[in-house]
Structure formats: structure tokens, C-alpha cells
Amino acid sequence: MSKILVTGGLGYIGSHTVVALQEAGFKVVIIDNLSNASTKVLDGILAISGELPEFENFDLRNKLKTQEFFKKYDDLSGVIHFAASKAVGESVGNPLLYYENNVSTLIYVLQELNKKDNANFIFSSSCTVYGQADKMPITEEAPIKAAESPYGNTKQIGEAILKDTCKANQNFNTIALRYFNPIGAHKSAQIGELPIGVPQNLVPYITQTGAGVREQLSVFGDNYPTKDGTCVRDYIHVVDIAKAHVIALKRLLNKKYKENFEVFNLGTGTPSSVLEVIQSFERVSNKKLNYKIVDKRDGDVISAYADTNKANAVLGWKAKSTLDDAMESAWKWQQTL
């Protein structure tokens, strides 16, 4: 049975992917430094899948610990790398943290994997690599423009590092998955998005406002050139994203790839504005949300939604859940907290 390392595996997308991997029959070992996660997530994973993954608690910025880990676990069939800081706004205010946490950790993991005869690696990338794209929907062929934030830049740098590594080593096989905006929670409400402190993402802020944890939601700008003046994104259910990782991993393990470095967009292909997400929440929760329009925020792109034809055709993957499905699961999860 293949053993898969999931870095950042107690985080939001990581934990859902761990569940999907275990349900698909993989053994999983998690590395997480608990900077934005809790060991309680392990209980949720166990409750859903009936299996407890192995767990190593350390920070991948510790190069020595990382080396020791790979010596101990020399039988890994693949690595899915989520461990990274992920808030656009925070990255603008603290860029050095983002470059250290997102780039150096990637390099340390790759240095160890590069020693193996054969390496299979899935990179948690982001639609932020496109910056403000010229055309919608965004295809994988869209030019990689100057990043709008240090966070986006770390994803661009990460992909460049991986592309160069794959070029130098034909036995190093990588799929970079460019997510659009993951939202929602597992249908069991055992795991979901659990930001520590004030949420940096829209949906947990919405659900916390709906639950009375936050007094009011701020909508950053209403005069963008969009259908209702608010920013437009492609919101995709986290379980759909998790399933895509399992499919991509099987593609690597079964050597079905055309090149040893491939990229795929993961989205629904449906654009939704901030106000439409708020309206979706109000529909599924039967609550009116307290929100106000405030000034625009540094680092935000106006509009970003995916062309998913490549993932649909090549991976045989397609997002199944609607915006309302995702918002309903996010609200169900919030009510357990």
C-alpha cells in the first residue's frame, strides 16, 4: 500500500485531502507545525475515515528535522505539499515571513526528494500566479504576469523551482494544481476551515459574522468593473479540490503524465461576486448578514475564474458542488464550533 506524505496536512485543504487519500486506500503521514491548525483535526479525520494518519509535529523551516524525517520515512510513494502561509493581505504586510515559509520549506523538501531514484510531487499552487489576467476565463496558457502580492509571488517562484527541478531530473515528476477559491467543509461537519484568529478569507468571515462571532463583515470595494462592483472569484468546494489531488496522484504513480511537469486549474468555471456569495449564505442559512462596503484592499485582483477544460479532459476531474452546496456545508461546520 502506497504511503503518501501530506505537508500541512492538518490545514484546511490538507485535512480534506488526507480524508480523500485514506478513502482511496492510501496510507498517509502528515507533517504540520500547527501554526494555523490544531491536533483536534486528527479526531475529525479519524471520525470520517475510521483511520488515524501518522503525524509528525515540526516546522519544515528546520532543515535538519526535515532531513531526519526523510531518512525515517524512506518508503514514501509521493508527496503532496500544502505547508505554506496563504493570506494575500498578510503577505503584503509581512513579505519576509512568506518568502521564508513558502519558498525555503519547498526547497528543503525538494532537496530530500531529489535524492530518490523516482519522486512524485503535487504542489499546492494558486490562481494568484496569473495576477490580473487579461482574459476570462483563465486557461493554463495565460501569461504569468507580475504577482499582485508576495503570496502570489511565492507560488510563482515555487512553480519555477519545480519546473527547473523537473527539467534537471527526468525522474522527478510534478503536478502543480492551481486552485481558485476553496470554500466549504466536509459534509459530516467533522472538519472544515478553521482559521486561528481573525479570518483572512471571505467565507469563514461570513459564517463567523452569521454566527455572531464577528460583528460585521467588510466588503472591500464596490466600484470594481464587475457585474455588481465587487470582486469576482471562482469559489470551489474543498472536497472537489481534495478529490482532484487523489486523481493527480494516481496519474503520477501510474506514470500517465505526458511531461514530468504539468499544471492544471482547479475551479468551477463559474464567476461569483462577493455580494453573490453573501446572498448564497443568506439563502442557505435563512439569516440576513451584517456587512458594510469599505475601501479596496491592497493585493486584490478584480476578477479571476477558471477555464477547467484541461483538468476535465486530461484528469477526468470536474467540480460537482454548487456555490450553495459549499456555503451550506460551511455554515453547518461553523455551527459545530
Side-chain angles (χ1 to χ4, degrees):
M1 188 180 290
S2 297
K3 182 178 283 187
I4 308 302
L5 167 63
V6 181
T7 72
L10 295 185
Y12 176 42
I13 307 175
S15 59
H16 286 82
T17 301
V18 169
V19 166
L21 287 166
Q22 292 189 160
E23 288 176 342
F26 291 98
K27 288 289 183 187
V28 177
V29 56
I30 292 170
I31 296 174
D32 204 297
N33 69 353
L34 304 179
S35 62
N36 196 32
S38 162
T39 53
K40 290 179 183 175
V41 177
L42 288 167
D43 299 332
I45 292 170
L46 175 61
I48 297 166
S49 65
E51 187 174 350
L52 195 64
E54 294 183 67
F55 173 54
E56 297 277 343
N57 176 12
F58 71 94
D59 194 317
L60 286 165
R61 287 176 290 187
N62 186 324
K63 188 173 184 178
L64 185 60
K65 282 260 180 83
T66 303
Q67 290 171 335
E68 288 171 351
F69 172 87
F70 279 95
K71 283 176 186 167
K72 179 180 175 182
Y73 292 91
D74 60 357
D75 58 343
L76 296 171
S77 299
V79 175
I80 303 179
H81 185 62
F82 293 105
S85 300
K86 63 174 187 176
V88 168
E90 184 185 50
S91 78
V92 174
N94 195 353
L96 291 179
L97 168 70
Y98 274 67
Y99 287 114
E100 181 192 27
N101 207 28
N102 295 11
V103 179
S104 68
T105 57
L106 173 65
I107 290 170
Y108 294 162
V109 171
L110 296 184
Q111 284 173 334
E112 297 310 303
L113 283 180
N114 208 33
K115 297 171 185 175
K116 294 167 72 75
D117 294 334
N118 185 64
N120 299 303
F121 190 84
I122 295 176
F123 181 56
S124 170
S125 193
S126 166
C127 64
T128 56
V129 300
Y130 298 114
Q132 181 56 67
D134 297 321
K135 293 180 183 176
M136 296 292 150
I138 302 169
T139 73
E140 289 84 353
E141 305 306 313
I144 303 297
K145 300 170 78 172
E148 298 280 335
S149 67
Y151 167 73
N153 200 26
T154 65
K155 293 301 182 183
Q156 289 184 354
I157 292 166
E159 284 196 16
I161 289 168
L162 284 161
K163 197 170 186 180
D164 289 341
T165 302
C166 290
K167 192 174 179 181
N169 180 356
Q170 288 302 305
N171 293 316
F172 200 107
N173 313 301
T174 294
I175 292 177
L177 297 175
R178 293 172 177 167
Y179 322 144
F180 280 66
N181 288 66
I183 61 170
H186 193 271
K187 63 184 179 182
S188 66
Q190 294 283 352
I191 56 174
E193 190 166 8
L194 189 62
I196 291 174
V198 179
Q200 299 286 329
N201 293 334
L202 175 63
V203 170
Y205 212 111
I206 285 175
T207 58
Q208 288 189 15
T209 304
V213 178
R214 305 287 160 199
E215 186 178 339
Q216 189 173 57
L217 170 75
S218 295
V219 175
F220 297 102
D222 66 346
N223 60 348
Y224 286 101
T226 61
K227 48 191 165 184
D228 60 21
T230 62
C231 287
V232 165
R233 297 291 184 269
D234 186 338
Y235 294 94
I236 174 172
H237 200 301
V238 66
V239 172
D240 282 330
I241 284 187
K243 289 175 179 174
H245 286 80
V246 177
I247 293 169
L249 178 67
K250 289 178 178 177
R251 180 173 174 83
L252 291 177
L253 295 178
N254 296 329
K255 303 197 181 302
K256 299 285 189 184
Y257 46 86
K258 294 183 178 69
E259 298 172 353
N260 69 331
F261 179 78
E262 295 182 312
V263 299
F264 296 95
N265 285 340
L266 296 184
T268 63
T270 302
S272 299
S273 71
V274 174
L275 291 182
E276 285 175 329
V277 177
I278 290 170
Q279 289 156 10
S280 173
F281 171 78
E282 292 180 336
R283 268 195 306 276
V284 302
S285 68
N286 291 316
K287 295 174 85 73
K288 289 298 289 181
L289 197 73
N290 182 25
Y291 69 90
K292 66 175 178 179
I293 308 297
V294 299
D295 290 341
K296 293 177 180 178
R297 183 170 59 175
D298 287 344
D300 277 341
V301 298
I302 300 164
S303 180
Y305 59 96
D307 182 316
T308 63
N309 285 323
K310 185 179 178 186
N312 301 160
V314 178
L315 293 179
W317 168 89
K318 190 174 178 67
K320 301 277 178 66
S321 298
T322 65
L323 177 61
D324 280 7
D325 291 336
M327 293 304 294
E328 187 172 15
S329 67
W331 178 233
K332 185 180 174 186
W333 161 248
Q334 176 66 52
Q335 291 172 292
T336 70
L337 301 177

